[in-house]
Amino acid sequence: MLRKLFSFHGGVKPAPHKDQSTLAPIASVPLPERLVIPLHQSVGGHPRPLVQPGERVFKGQRIGGADGSLSSAVHASTSGLVRDIVPAVMPHTSGLTTLSVVIEPDGEDRWGELDRVNFRSTPPDELRDFLRDAGIVGLGGAVFPSHLKLKPGKEGSLQTLVINGAECEPFITCDDMLMRERAGDMLKGIIAMRHMLQAREVLIGIEDNKPQAIAAVQSAIAASGETGIEAVAIPTRYPAGGAKQLIRVLTGIEVPHGRRSTDFGVQCFNVGTAYSIFEALERGRPLISRIVTVAGNVDAPRNYEVLIGTPMDHVVRLAGARAGTDRYIMGGPMMGARMPAFDVPVVKATNCILVGSPALFPPPPPEMPCIRCGECAKACPADLAPFEMYWHSRAKNFGKAQEYHLFDCIECGCCSFVCPSHIPLVDYFRFSKSEIWAREREKEAADTARDRFEFKNFRQEREKQEKAEKLAAKAAATREKVGADGSAAAASSSTAPAKPSGDDAKRALIEAAMEKARQQKAQIQPKNTDAANPAVQAEIAAIEARRQVSATNPTDAPPDGPPSSGA
Amino acid sequence: MINSPFVRKPASVQSVMLQVLLALVPGIAAYAWFFGPGILVQIALATAAALVGEAAVLAVRGKPVALFLGDLSAIVTAWLIALTFPPIAPWWLTVTGTLLAIVIVKQLYGGLGQNPFNPAMAAFCLMIVAYPALMSQWPAAGQLDARTQLDLIFGGARQIDAITGATPLDALRTALRSAADPASTLHGLRAAQLMDGPAFGLIGGHGGEWVALGYLVGGLWLLQRRIITWHIPVAFCAALFAAAGLLWALKPEGFASPLFHLASGGTMLGAFFILTDPVSGATTARGKLLFAAGAAIFTYVIRVFGAYPDGIAFATLLMNICVPLIDMKTQAPVFGHKKD
């Protein structure tokens, strides 16, 4: 069946480099010595740890609970011992750390109890909670919590469910191999998603450079006997795998920046996400592993099923890193991020570990001035004019850059790829966006501070006024009382004995307060001996005891004893 | 720190400029064939002046000289100057024009990519205003041998009026004006009859139309190589054809045919090589159409009603002024914001 396809503007055709890593089937990875599982692996809140150091965990046990609705759970990838919960370097170019659970595998790889769910008989809300607790997030790279996307739009149903098997980045073949080897199970996940979204049709978009994957998916569809699901071969052109570009190619709909695709009757998921939903629903297995392509400067590029938290170099070793390796890139060469270290963990977003070397990815030639040739605009899949945004970004004229739709930029890298002046255009746009965000945060903070300051002034003014009113009232009352007392004293002339008793009570109160203050001071006084070793501590305790005794009986103090004020 | 993308298309400013230079070769070959080797001398002079001028300013500005000379953009400017100046212009005229273009119009505005005006056309305009006579003397095809041409370029005494004439465009305009004058011997003759002389060829000037064909071939090759887009050449030729065609249709005896306008003067050079300069031209698709159509109208008006041999240089500068406004007002809607 021939379907009418649409086209998106621009795009580029980088060398694919996909053949080498698809020669062998997906391989498993031996357990590493340690797994470092970051708690924050998806868009949204930071999951809180649910385990303690020293605790034994099962494979698939929840170790991080979703933090609010925009968040997703995290699980132990194998059974073992929780060694530590510490900040560890995360797989991000910045080299920043994030709270991570360090697990020492016990080698048994033992699953805990697994709950399965029948998606047809379970209410949608419960299903979504189940998927949140199973840690299902988008595996195409964006790691957006999937349960939030599995809601039909306002109408309660959806026209088209788009499944993204385009995989347009060079080198990456994890989705290709998943479709070749696990199309049937993936399809079951898709059917569950279709049910949750009440979608009328399902379109699985696959770039036409993956004929084996297309054939595998098509035969799985035929075998299932399902109707309304179609595997569609789309032209190979980067970034056809961008969600917006794929939706455009398959349906002709352009989802604008900042709008939900469900408002247009479309929702889009990666094929890997569909498979992990199958694993969660039908096998009860949360998301604890994913397929990762290891490619680039290695002897045998290949795909591996990798446990989340496995150090990247542990996986790369299996493929045989070649001499000259100077970096790992997470993702592909177009949008991937350079890793700050070789042993950062594989996370849910890791679709590819691209092993780089100066020979494979040489540094760009020197940057030349922009000649406004417009190649970037011709290549831009978002129909932007990158050279105009560059001009304004360079001048830090961020308002103007936004007028040229800076935030519609998807950072696909096409403009940098084609620029004959070798200008790192995407870097300029990332910089501008972060500057704008920083300024907005600053402005917000300033607004909050101003509001707070104004409220404080208001409050102080109000308190002053209230105090003044209170004082005035009190003074009036006292005056009245004094007036009454005076008249009473004059009447009775027996006020003298009452006064000293009042003074005594006051003195007693003051003394009690002072005593209390002394005790508190003694309690909070820090000791400079806290860090000493146990033997020294014991000695100090003995000295303290003696001092206590001497303090209570000063006359018994030995002449050479420590001065009692020394503590 | 290098961020993604880690791969790049093997493209460079140098390769773009080199392809532009290669695309000029057919036109230059036809030029030298019909008009003699003077043009080759002019190209050599302009190239040398451009490189020396550019290197000097780059050194003063503290820029990497070899890197920027290697981008070949100065040589493109030099060749365009040589091709638009008369082939028998004295050497100092070409050298001064080239230095003006490179030093003032290009480098003083910030160098490569920063100049608001097309350097070659700005130089042409400055020189034609400063030296109108020298800039208006063009030999007919085959009129001067190599020796005479070299004497004229490097020699002292010039008896230019005796040996050279005007461009076919100039000649036809003068003739048409005479034809409109009852006192003239040419009175009543039509453009077709006026074009009967040896200076004219099949549709344009004799020889000049072959040079134009050479530029067309080179320009089409640039289109095929995707160095330029179709917008500017098509809009320029179409608008020029339309403007010329309108007046010609109304009064065929008073105006040259639209085909003559396409094949004469710098039309093809302008359409494919001058107006397509990305730095000083419009960049959006609609903007390019407007930019080139505007240039065509100005060119036609200056050619027919002005006093200069050709109008492309002034038309280019006039439209260069409008580029920021054109670009701003013709931004295409971006992804997801289209109203279709």
Side-chain angles (χ1 to χ4, degrees):
Chain A
M1 181 164 63
L2 274 179
R3 162 171 288 274
K4 176 182 170 11
L5 291 180
F6 299 83
S7 175
F8 61 90
H9 176 265
V12 294
K13 289 186 175 176
H17 295 289
K18 284 176 185 267
D19 294 338
Q20 302 93 322
S21 57
T22 51
L23 297 174
I26 301 167
S28 59
V29 177
L31 279 173
E33 278 173 30
R34 249 163 41 119
L35 291 161
V36 179
I37 305 173
L39 287 165
H40 187 227
Q41 291 196 44
S42 68
V43 169
H46 289 250
R48 55 193 189 281
L50 299 176
V51 288
Q52 300 283 334
E55 200 174 322
R56 297 221 151 258
V57 289
F58 288 114
K59 183 173 187 161
Q61 180 175 334
R62 204 140 43 96
I63 56 174
D67 170 34
S69 120
L70 179 60
S71 182
S72 190
V74 176
H75 302 78
S77 315
T78 186
S79 59
L81 185 69
V82 176
R83 267 275 165 236
D84 220 340
I85 300 175
V86 285
V89 177
M90 57 180 172
H92 186 271
T93 310
S94 66
L96 293 174
T97 58
T98 184
L99 195 62
S100 309
V101 177
V102 181
I103 295 178
E104 195 178 278
D106 58 14
E108 293 172 24
D109 213 22
R110 200 156 17 94
W111 285 97
E113 214 169 286
L114 301 178
D115 309 333
R116 291 174 184 77
V117 164
N118 182 340
F119 68 84
R120 291 191 198 278
S121 58
T122 311
D125 276 346
E126 278 179 38
L127 269 182
R128 280 192 282 273
D129 287 352
F130 179 83
L131 292 175
R132 182 194 65 206
D133 292 340
I136 307 296
V137 297
L139 295 185
V143 286
F144 190 86
S146 297
H147 63 276
L148 292 173
K149 285 170 69 185
L150 283 164
K151 272 182 209 167
K154 290 160 200 145
E155 294 168 30
S157 69
L158 198 70
Q159 180 57 37
T160 310
L161 169 59
V162 169
I163 301 295
N164 190 343
E167 201 165 49
C168 55
E169 270 256 19
F171 289 99
I172 308 179
T173 55
C174 60
D175 290 348
D176 187 1
M177 293 308 288
L178 173 90
M179 289 186 283
R180 290 193 203 185
E181 296 188 11
R182 306 176 189 175
D185 291 343
M186 176 193 86
L187 190 63
K188 288 177 189 161
I190 292 173
I191 291 164
M193 287 198 267
R194 178 177 67 174
H195 172 79
M196 289 181 75
L197 288 165
Q198 294 293 304
R200 284 186 276 280
E201 63 170 349
V202 179
L203 300 176
I204 306 169
I206 307 168
E207 274 193 349
D208 55 15
N209 62 356
K210 298 183 242 315
Q212 286 168 280
I214 296 169
V217 175
Q218 277 170 343
S219 63
I221 295 169
S224 72
E226 291 283 339
T227 54
I229 303 180
E230 194 185 332
V232 186
I234 60 165
T236 298
R237 184 156 53 106
Y238 178 86
K244 289 180 177 194
Q245 280 65 37
L246 185 63
I247 290 172
R248 162 81 194 162
V249 168
L250 291 173
T251 67
I253 295 167
E254 289 190 3
V255 181
H257 168 70
R259 296 283 301 276
R260 283 166 209 260
S261 64
T262 43
D263 294 347
F264 298 84
V266 195
Q267 189 58 286
C268 181
F269 288 93
N270 173 262
V271 287
T273 315
Y275 178 77
S276 63
I277 284 177
F278 156 80
E279 284 265 309
L281 296 176
E282 301 219 359
R283 295 192 175 143
R285 293 179 179 177
L287 182 51
I288 54 153
S289 70
R290 65 158 298 150
I291 304 170
V292 178
T293 307
V294 179
N297 192 40
V298 289
D299 291 327
R302 193 171 182 177
N303 282 280
Y304 296 91
E305 178 84 41
V306 186
L307 296 178
I308 305 298
T310 307
M312 286 189 181
D313 51 1
H314 179 80
V315 191
V316 171
R317 215 170 291 138
L318 301 177
R322 286 186 189 160
T325 295
D326 67 339
R327 75 198 107 158
Y328 289 171
I329 295 159
M330 187 169 97
M334 293 298 290
M335 288 187 79
R338 187 187 178 136
M339 294 294 98
F342 291 124
D343 61 349
V344 290
V346 166
V347 289
K348 294 176 184 177
T350 313
N351 48 7
C352 177
I353 304 169
L354 186 54
V355 181
S357 70
L360 187 60
F361 303 123
E367 187 178 332
M368 299 282 287
C370 170
I371 56 168
R372 294 164 56 85
C373 63
E375 282 300 313
C376 50
K378 273 193 246 170
C380 180
D383 308 82
L384 302 174
F387 60 94
E388 300 278 11
M389 298 189 332
Y390 157 75
W391 185 261
H392 296 301
S393 294
R394 218 170 101 106
K396 300 196 178 168
N397 193 347
F398 300 122
K400 268 283 183 197
Q402 267 178 286
E403 274 177 38
Y404 282 96
H405 303 278
L406 174 68
F407 283 97
D408 286 79
C409 168
I410 58 170
E411 300 177 21
C412 62
C414 288
C415 50
S416 301
F417 180 81
V418 298
C419 179
S421 291
H422 315 119
I423 300 169
L425 290 157
V426 192
D427 285 1
Y428 279 96
F429 306 149
R430 290 189 192 117
F431 164 75
S432 291
K433 287 182 187 176
S434 59
E435 280 296 296
I436 292 168
W437 285 325
R439 283 176 191 200
E440 275 173 8
R441 271 197 302 275
E442 254 168 52
K443 191 181 166 291
E444 247 168 59
D447 286 348
T448 317
R450 198 188 49 240
D451 288 350
R452 221 183 271 155
F453 176 73
E454 281 170 0
F455 181 72
K456 185 183 161 211
N457 280 355
F458 164 75
R459 180 171 52 81
Q460 282 174 338
E461 199 55 38
R462 189 187 61 193
E463 278 169 4
K464 222 195 253 168
Q465 216 171 339
E466 282 172 359
K467 213 169 172 182
E469 278 168 15
K470 223 183 257 171
L471 275 175
K474 209 171 173 185
T478 316
R479 261 199 307 279
E480 220 164 81
K481 201 176 167 197
V482 168
D485 283 355
S487 57
S492 64
S493 71
S494 61
T495 52
K499 230 175 184 171
S501 72
D503 281 356
D504 280 351
K506 216 182 226 173
R507 200 171 296 125
L509 268 174
I510 290 168
E511 272 168 9
M514 280 172 74
E515 178 59 24
K516 202 174 169 190
R518 258 199 300 279
Q519 279 171 5
Q520 276 173 354
K521 204 179 165 195
Q523 264 174 18
I524 60 163
Q525 198 105 60
K527 286 183 181 145
N528 59 1
T529 52
D530 281 354
N533 67 40
V536 177
Q537 290 274 20
E539 203 178 326
I540 290 167
I543 294 167
E544 279 295 321
R546 279 204 301 279
R547 186 197 294 157
Q548 287 291 327
V549 173
S550 66
T552 43
N553 306 317
T555 47
D556 295 344
D560 58 345
S564 57
S565 61
Chain B
M1 171 65 89
I2 299 150
N3 291 321
S4 62
F6 300 96
V7 285
R8 285 170 173 278
K9 202 170 157 180
S12 65
V13 176
Q14 186 187 44
S15 82
V16 171
M17 297 297 169
L18 185 65
Q19 292 179 68
V20 173
L21 292 176
L22 284 176
L24 282 169
V25 168
I28 294 171
Y31 202 143
W33 176 261
F34 282 100
F35 294 89
I39 180 61
L40 302 178
V41 176
Q42 298 288 0
I43 287 175
L45 280 171
T47 304
L51 290 177
V52 169
E54 178 122 311
V57 187
L58 285 171
V60 170
R61 291 179 63 211
K63 301 273 176 186
V65 175
L67 179 68
F68 281 102
L69 282 191
D71 69 31
L72 305 182
S73 62
I75 299 182
V76 171
T77 299
W79 285 25
L80 290 178
I81 287 174
L83 290 172
T84 47
F85 278 35
I88 52 165
W91 65 270
W92 54 267
L93 193 75
T94 309
V95 168
T96 312
T98 309
L99 289 176
L100 275 173
I102 295 294
V103 176
I104 294 181
V105 186
K106 182 182 177 189
Q107 287 293 342
L108 291 193
Y109 277 89
L112 179 68
Q114 313 293 310
N115 46 293
F117 297 107
N118 186 309
M121 292 304 100
F124 183 93
C125 292
L126 285 165
M127 297 317 274
I128 204 167
V129 170
Y131 302 98
L134 286 175
M135 287 292 286
S136 307
Q137 300 302 325
W138 294 74
Q143 184 191 1
L144 301 173
D145 60 25
R147 185 59 197 268
T148 319
Q149 292 193 354
L150 286 177
D151 280 351
L152 286 168
I153 296 169
F154 294 106
R158 295 174 65 89
Q159 295 180 317
I160 43 178
D161 288 347
I163 50 172
T164 64
T167 62
L169 268 175
D170 242 352
L172 185 64
R173 175 177 53 210
T174 315
L176 283 168
R177 281 180 188 168
S178 305
D181 179 4
S184 166
T185 50
L186 297 171
H187 180 63
L189 290 178
R190 292 179 157 234
Q193 293 163 302
L194 293 169
M195 282 173 63
D196 215 13
F200 297 96
L202 296 171
I203 48 172
H206 175 53
E209 57 195 14
W210 292 100
V211 179
L213 185 67
Y215 293 143
L216 175 65
V217 169
L220 291 175
W221 181 71
L222 283 185
L223 260 180
Q224 189 260 325
R225 301 285 302 159
R226 293 174 184 269
I227 300 291
I228 58 172
T229 63
W230 61 269
H231 304 84
I232 286 178
V234 168
F236 184 72
C237 294
L240 187 61
F241 190 92
L246 181 70
L247 289 184
W248 182 68
L250 290 174
K251 200 179 169 199
E253 69 277 14
F255 294 95
S257 77
L259 274 180
F260 177 78
H261 275 282
L262 286 188
S264 302
T267 303
M268 287 302 144
L269 191 64
F272 288 97
F273 293 93
I274 293 171
L275 290 162
T276 49
D277 167 33
V279 175
S280 56
T283 54
T284 63
R286 279 192 303 146
K288 283 175 178 174
L289 296 176
L290 273 175
F291 172 77
I297 306 293
F298 280 128
T299 298
Y300 184 73
V301 169
I302 295 169
R303 272 183 181 180
V304 175
F305 304 105
Y308 295 105
D310 200 346
I312 290 179
F314 288 101
T316 305
L317 295 196
L318 285 169
M319 292 313 292
N320 284 163
I321 298 173
C322 308
V323 162
L325 184 68
I326 293 177
D327 273 357
M328 193 174 78
K329 292 295 176 194
T330 56
Q331 288 296 323
V334 309
F335 189 93
H337 300 281
K338 296 165 194 159
K339 289 182 207 124
D340 57 6

